[in-house]
Amino acid sequence: MRPVLVLTHVPYEGPGMIAPGLDAPVRVRTVVGTADPALPDVAEISGLVVMGGPMDADDDRGHPGLAAERRLLAAAVEADVPVLGVCLGAQLLGMALGAPLLRRHGTEIGFAPVDVHHDDVVLGPLGSRPTVLHWHSDAVDLPPGATLLASSDVTPVQAFRAGSALGVQFHLEVDASMLELWLGTPGLVGGLEDDQVEQVRLDGARVLPTLVPAARKVVQLFAEQVRTRG
């Protein structure tokens, strides 16, 4: 079976519980600092997962590998390769498909609900108004021809479907141990007050026992698409 390529941008925003749920060979790469990275052709992969990161999705000058990621995302959708973009990954996916990035559109950090507008073959297990983990200030518009799947008051495009690709602005990969890692990472919590950090921790203890099993089902459905491609 061809591997699933997972693109990461910083060490603390890895694939989390996505990778073990794929039931496929996984290749994790970080290419954000390389202007011309040697990325595989889409014919060589069975799926593509692009994770989050603190950089702006259009900051090609500071992070020249982002342009190569967007090209690969566009090629994957064109070739009908299953794609999952998470947070920054969703923004890169949206830009790859022609949507503008909305810098500093609105900050969402912590657990809060999103409204689901359309059923999706992969996102369905989350339900109609799931409480999910947000950690972003940038957003992306809906790409031309894409289907809006979920929104929040702050972020009108929380999830979208474009052919073989699913973009989610929120974080499906985080379980309790990964959340604790994030809450101890200065680059993530440096702008938060101690009581805000503690509130995220408390909300995680309340929400994750329900959210994690649903998110694992989402990953399983994405994995089924990957296995179909083989």
Side-chain angles (χ1 to χ4, degrees), residues 8 24 52 67 72 74 89 98 137 146 151 154 157 166 172 201 229:
T8 63
L72 183 62
S137 59
S151 66
V154 175
V157 181
L166 171 64
L172 288 171
R201 180 177 284 112
R229 178 170 173 79

Side-chain angles (χ1 to χ4, degrees), residues 144-169:
T147 299
L148 177 66
L149 299 179
S151 66
S152 66
D153 290 342
V154 175
T155 306
V157 181
Q158 283 281 1
F160 64 90
R161 163 72 61 185
S164 62
L166 171 64
V168 291
Q169 183 59 61

Side-chain angles (χ1 to χ4, degrees), residues 17 20-21 125-126 172 175 211-221:
M17 63 182 181
L126 292 186
L172 288 171
D175 58 11
L211 178 59
V212 166
R216 286 198 175 117
K217 290 179 182 178
V218 169
V219 175
Q220 289 169 4
L221 291 170

Side-chain angles (χ1 to χ4, degrees), residues 104-221:
R104 314 301 177 260
H105 181 269
T107 298
E108 290 180 295
I109 295 177
F111 291 89
V114 295
D115 293 307
V116 175
H117 303 288
H118 290 280
D119 291 334
D120 182 73
V121 64
V122 171
L123 207 59
L126 292 186
S128 61
R129 200 169 189 266
T131 296
V132 293
L133 178 60
H134 307 267
W135 213 296
H136 71 101
S137 59
D138 290 354
V140 72
D141 263 347
L142 187 68
T147 299
L148 177 66
L149 299 179
S151 66
S152 66
D153 290 342
V154 175
T155 306
V157 181
Q158 283 281 1
F160 64 90
R161 163 72 61 185
S164 62
L166 171 64
V168 291
Q169 183 59 61
F170 47 88
H171 291 274
L172 288 171
E173 77 277 23
V174 176
D175 58 11
S177 61
M178 192 170 185
L179 178 63
E180 199 56 39
L181 169 66
W182 283 19
L183 294 178
T185 300
L188 277 169
V189 300
L192 301 180
E193 300 293 336
D194 290 347
D195 61 337
Q196 293 176 294
V197 173
E198 186 58 25
Q199 187 62 57
V200 175
R201 180 177 284 112
L202 291 172
D203 289 343
R206 174 177 55 86
V207 172
L208 287 175
T210 300
L211 178 59
V212 166
R216 286 198 175 117
K217 290 179 182 178
V218 169
V219 175
Q220 289 169 4
L221 291 170

